[in-house]
Amino acid sequence: MADAADPTKPSNPQPGPAAASSAQPPRIVRKRKGNFWLVWLIPLVASLIGLSIVWHDWSNRGPTISIRLDSASGLEAGKTQIKFRDVVVGTVTNIRLSDTGDEVLVDAELNVDARGLAKEGTQFWVVKPTIGLSGVSGLSTLLSGVYINADTKTFKSDAPEKLNFVALTEPPAIASDRPGSRFNLRSDTLGSLGRGAPIYFLRIPVGVVTKYELDENGTFVDIEVFVDAPYDKYVGGNTRFWNESGIYVNVGSEGLTVSTESLVSILAGGLAFGNFGPPIPLETNQTFKLYANKALADEVPIGLAVPVTMKFYQSTKGLEAQAPVTFQGVEIGVVNSADLDFDIYKGEFFTHVKATLYPARLGSVAHTMQEANKTVEQATESLAMMIRRGLRAELKTASLLTGSLYVSMSLMRDAPPVKEVMATVPIGIPTVVTSDLEDIQKQIASIVESINKIPFDQLSADLSKSLTELTELGKSLNNTLTPELSATLKDLQSTLGQVDNLLEASGTLPTQLDNSLKEIDKAVRATKSLIDELRAQPNSIIFGEPSPSYSRETLGSTP
């Protein structure tokens, strides 16, 4: 403290070397070691990042499925995508042949959010650009490449899991989530219909044909159609479907009628439907009959359809399906089929005709009978009663030119009675042999026989002989008359030349002829004046012209 307060000491003394060495020892600094453990932090972080990527990939990886295809055209492993609702939900990982080598197996990994596709009911198909009558599809693949599309209606359902699928050869006609209803049709033939053919209601496209197949017996074609909502609510028990594949032409009393739907239906086929009569509830799994055209659909009346059968023990050539069945001249039914059969009791062949009668076509009579004939069985009982009273069927000619026949039904009071009438469905209606038809056939046979008796060979020989003689006559005339005619034409040409020369030489003849005609005219005028004077004064030719008379009135006047 004294040193610090001494004013005689310098404020900052400079110590010497000895003092410095004795006062402060040298400071030794030890070099610190490096943190080598931080070097291991980098691979640790990289490993954590890699593990996180692996975990993320593993946690987002869905099930691996296998799709069986006919061909792998346009598909590439690692590039071809799987889409659902236009969202990428997976990628093709491997493409290989099947064990038999007939098909291609495609392995694909789905995303975790697409796990619902690996269930029963999912459909897969390859999307490629296609051009058809119904339009162009798959144009997006021109830029993005071929991809596999998926469709399912069991995405969120409890359907069992499925990992092996068979791809569709063609895309489905409709998507699984498309609102609407499916209906079944039955037709005798498919015609020009196909998958995707349009369906029209009041000329509005409302659906498509989804599929078709033969029935178990191979007799009919079962067609499945899809009608979009809300148009499906117009399909009921009174709905009728008909074929609109083409142009319907009808010539009737009102002239020419042409009916069609659209150009697509003409080229690719199409269907249409409409409602006939009062509304009828739709039955469960109801199958609709497909009519050939709208006219046939319109001809079927509303009401009962009573099946009947008939046996004709005579020739039925010209009787075909869709031939009319009439009662008292009114068309009440249609022939369904006409098949040859054999009666073992009579030992004769006969034609078994099946037809359908529609009592509603009787008009006001049908309304009267409607209360008593509400069912097919009741209508059959009424037919049985009419058969007992003489109801019979016979064949009649519809056209002498075509030879077509139809079935005519009428009450014949003098018809042979029927021993027993069974009111079963279908009911058998007794028939009678048509004498008029037999007479017409005999007359036609007689005409044909008469035509056969004409000596066509003799007529042909005589005609050939006459043509030969006519040819010879023509040659003779050509040899004899042609030279003479040629000479005559030459003489006539010479005469015309002389006349032409004469007319050229007499150039002044027209002028002289004109003067002569003038002199003749003057002479005719003078003669006419003389005749008029003689008529007035006949004696003037003897006494001459009388002298003029004078009077007091004319005196002094100058003549």
Side-chain angles (χ1 to χ4, degrees):
M1 297 296 295
D3 294 340
D6 190 0
T8 61
K9 291 183 178 181
S11 59
N12 292 323
Q14 298 293 331
S21 59
S22 59
Q24 294 183 355
R27 183 179 180 183
I28 300 173
V29 179
R30 184 176 294 178
K31 188 176 181 181
R32 300 178 61 183
K33 297 182 179 180
N35 297 327
F36 292 100
W37 63 271
L38 294 176
V39 177
W40 298 99
L41 184 63
I42 296 176
L44 179 61
V45 172
S47 300
L48 292 176
I49 295 175
L51 290 175
S52 65
I53 294 175
V54 172
W55 168 257
H56 182 271
D57 182 67
W58 180 81
S59 62
N60 290 333
R61 181 178 298 177
T64 300
I65 61 175
S66 176
I67 304 174
R68 190 178 297 268
L69 300 170
D70 293 335
S71 173
S73 176
L75 302 180
E76 295 184 24
K79 292 185 179 181
T80 302
Q81 299 174 338
I82 298 179
K83 294 184 178 181
F84 176 64
R85 302 183 185 275
D86 290 333
V87 177
V88 179
V89 296
T91 306
V92 174
T93 58
N94 185 27
I95 301 176
R96 68 185 189 278
L97 288 175
S98 62
D99 296 337
T100 59
D102 298 334
E103 296 175 319
V104 176
L105 299 179
V106 175
D107 296 331
E109 291 184 358
L110 299 178
N111 299 339
V112 65
D113 56 350
R115 189 183 300 274
L117 295 177
K119 292 183 179 181
E120 190 74 32
T122 303
Q123 297 176 331
F124 294 91
W125 68 93
V126 179
V127 178
K128 298 179 180 180
T130 57
I131 300 175
L133 295 175
S134 58
V136 181
S137 61
L139 289 180
S140 60
T141 59
L142 296 176
L143 299 177
S144 62
V146 176
Y147 64 91
I148 298 177
N149 205 354
D151 184 38
T152 182
K153 55 183 178 182
T154 61
F155 192 85
K156 295 182 179 181
S157 66
D158 296 332
E161 186 179 9
K162 183 179 180 180
L163 300 178
N164 297 318
F165 299 89
V166 178
L168 301 177
T169 57
E170 295 181 1
I174 57 173
S176 59
D177 60 342
R178 185 170 174 178
S181 303
R182 299 175 186 267
F183 302 97
N184 297 321
L185 312 180
R186 173 160 287 187
S187 176
D188 296 334
T189 178
L190 182 63
S192 59
L193 295 176
R195 294 178 69 256
I199 299 176
Y200 298 92
F201 177 68
L202 299 180
R203 296 188 179 273
I204 300 174
V206 297
V208 294
V209 175
T210 56
K211 67 177 182 180
Y212 57 86
E213 61 184 2
L214 288 174
D215 67 336
E216 296 179 355
N217 300 324
T219 307
F220 303 99
V221 179
D222 293 328
I223 304 172
E224 183 185 78
V225 300
F226 182 87
V227 179
D228 295 316
Y231 305 103
D232 55 345
K233 66 181 180 181
Y234 300 112
V235 179
N238 61 332
T239 302
R240 295 175 186 169
F241 289 81
W242 62 87
N243 201 321
E244 282 290 352
S245 304
I247 302 175
Y248 174 71
V249 181
N250 182 34
V251 180
S253 58
E254 298 181 356
L256 179 64
T257 302
V258 181
S259 176
T260 185
E261 286 293 337
S262 67
L263 181 61
V264 175
S265 64
I266 295 175
L267 299 177
L271 301 178
F273 69 89
N275 297 322
F276 297 80
I280 301 176
L282 186 65
E283 299 179 1
T284 305
N285 298 327
Q286 181 173 350
T287 299
F288 296 90
K289 178 182 178 181
L290 180 61
Y291 295 90
N293 50 60
K294 185 179 180 181
L296 293 179
D298 197 12
E299 286 179 359
V300 180
I302 303 299
L304 293 178
V306 183
V308 298
T309 61
M310 294 163 281
K311 297 180 180 180
F312 291 97
Y313 290 87
Q314 65 183 102
S315 175
T316 57
K317 183 180 181 181
L319 183 65
E320 300 177 352
Q322 303 301 323
V325 179
T326 64
F327 177 75
Q328 299 294 101
V330 178
E331 185 176 335
I332 63 170
V334 62
V335 174
N336 301 122
S337 63
D339 302 320
L340 187 64
D341 205 341
F342 183 76
D343 191 341
I344 58 176
Y345 299 102
K346 295 184 179 181
E348 298 180 6
F349 286 95
F350 67 92
T351 302
H352 191 193
V353 177
K354 297 180 181 179
T356 303
L357 303 183
Y358 304 98
R361 291 187 175 182
L362 293 174
S364 59
V365 179
H367 295 290
T368 306
M369 299 170 57
Q370 188 173 6
E371 295 298 327
N373 299 325
K374 292 184 178 180
T375 63
V376 176
E377 289 75 13
Q378 293 175 348
T380 303
E381 288 287 349
S382 300
L383 283 176
M385 181 183 63
M386 296 180 66
I387 291 173
R388 297 185 186 98
R389 295 181 179 180
L391 179 64
R392 300 293 184 269
E394 59 180 343
L395 296 176
K396 289 190 176 181
T397 304
S399 174
L400 292 176
L401 296 177
T402 61
S404 59
L405 303 178
Y406 70 96
V407 178
S408 175
M409 300 173 60
S410 60
L411 291 173
M412 302 179 182
R413 303 298 181 181
D414 55 348
V418 180
K419 296 181 180 180
E420 185 178 2
V421 179
M422 301 296 295
T424 57
V425 180
I427 187 172
I429 298 179
T431 62
V432 295
V433 178
T434 306
S435 58
D436 295 340
L437 183 61
E438 298 292 339
D439 294 340
I440 291 174
Q441 292 178 349
K442 290 180 180 179
Q443 292 176 4
I444 293 176
S446 178
I447 294 173
V448 172
E449 184 179 358
S450 299
I451 293 175
N452 290 333
K453 291 181 179 179
I454 298 176
F456 289 103
D457 296 338
Q458 183 65 30
L459 292 176
S460 177
D462 295 342
L463 181 60
S464 178
K465 183 178 179 181
S466 299
L467 291 175
T468 303
E469 294 178 354
L470 183 61
T471 302
E472 294 296 334
L473 178 61
K475 292 180 180 180
S476 177
L477 292 176
N478 186 31
N479 295 331
T480 57
L481 293 181
T482 301
E484 296 180 1
L485 183 61
S486 178
T488 303
L489 290 176
K490 290 182 179 180
D491 295 340
L492 180 60
Q493 185 177 6
S494 178
T495 304
L496 291 176
Q498 294 177 2
V499 172
D500 189 24
N501 295 332
L502 179 61
L503 292 176
E504 290 179 357
S506 56
T508 59
L509 182 60
T511 304
Q512 295 176 0
L513 182 61
D514 186 35
N515 295 334
S516 298
L517 290 175
K518 289 181 179 180
E519 294 295 334
I520 293 173
D521 183 61
K522 291 180 180 180
V524 171
R525 291 179 180 273
T527 303
K528 183 177 180 182
S529 299
L530 178 60
I531 291 172
D532 293 340
E533 185 177 354
L534 291 176
R535 286 179 179 176
Q537 296 178 0
N539 57 355
S540 62
I541 193 173
I542 301 174
F543 298 102
E545 183 179 0
S547 57
S549 59
Y550 297 95
S551 62
R552 182 174 297 177
E553 288 78 7
T554 60
L555 187 63
S557 61
T558 304

